[in-house]
Amino acid sequence: MARLVAQAWAERGPHVECTVGDLTWRLLRNTQVRPREDITPWERTPGQPAGFAWAYGNGDVDLLVHPLVHADAFAEAVLPWVRARYERPPQPATMWELESNGPLLAALQRRGRRRTTGGCYLHLALEADTGCPLVSYTPPGCYRTQETWATRPLHGKATR
């Protein structure tokens, strides 16, 4: 997942739904996070990560697909997984994408999702100081984001 997010950032800059640091923060923020149940990776072809859906206990689902040309296939594969999790009471899912992600927004709308008002997806970008090297560190015993791809990659459709 980290490699996929980094590739998306290399191409689109801050117009990507999350950062590599967000992945670690989301995984380690509390004991309620269950990566095998809450994250469904998507591969356009075997061994080629191209997106993921990350579900939260409150009904929110974060989506990321890269490259954006795969938005339709991604939406087609991931929406059944989202529906299976949330489309029954007490509340339907709220899927979050950036306004700049037109291909994914359009793909979801073509599949019956509608845009809502009043939501806010706060996304800030900070330029890195060129004098400071960026270091990747995972403390011993912590879940590594890359390992989530090995749990159950999807090839064209979501299965749960």
Side-chain angles (χ1 to χ4, degrees):
M1 288 173 56
R3 189 174 325 135
L4 179 67
V5 170
Q7 290 168 348
W9 268 79
E11 183 178 306
R12 301 188 329 240
H15 300 284
V16 176
E17 285 77 2
C18 67
T19 68
V20 173
D22 290 335
L23 297 176
T24 303
W25 177 82
R26 290 174 184 179
L27 282 171
L28 304 176
R29 69 185 176 180
N30 65 46
T31 59
Q32 311 266 320
V33 178
R34 302 163 307 162
R36 291 179 189 249
E37 293 86 16
D38 298 339
I39 303 168
T40 187
W42 179 71
E43 295 179 338
R44 179 76 174 134
T45 57
Q48 296 297 315
F52 61 85
W54 193 314
Y56 300 94
N58 66 354
D60 288 349
V61 180
D62 287 339
L63 302 173
L64 182 135
V65 62
H66 179 75
L68 291 174
V69 297
H70 299 309
D72 275 300
F74 173 73
E76 189 71 28
V78 171
L79 280 175
W81 177 79
V82 172
R83 284 187 197 108
R85 283 185 70 99
Y86 295 114
E87 292 300 326
R88 52 191 180 276
Q91 64 187 18
T94 300
M95 291 180 281
W96 294 90
E97 312 80 35
L98 291 179
E99 189 72 35
S100 60
N101 192 339
L104 185 53
L105 290 168
L108 292 169
Q109 288 175 334
R110 283 191 292 275
R111 285 158 182 82
R113 299 306 266 182
R114 64 179 171 75
R115 185 183 182 127
T116 61
T117 58
C120 175
Y121 195 123
L122 181 61
H123 186 81
L124 305 174
L126 176 66
E127 295 295 323
D129 180 358
T130 56
C132 278
L134 299 175
V135 178
S136 175
Y137 173 72
T138 303
C142 289
Y143 195 88
R144 291 177 181 258
T145 56
Q146 293 85 353
E147 291 174 356
T148 59
W149 287 114
T151 61
R152 49 169 182 32
L154 302 175
H155 305 288
K157 69 177 196 174
T159 56
R160 289 275 185 190

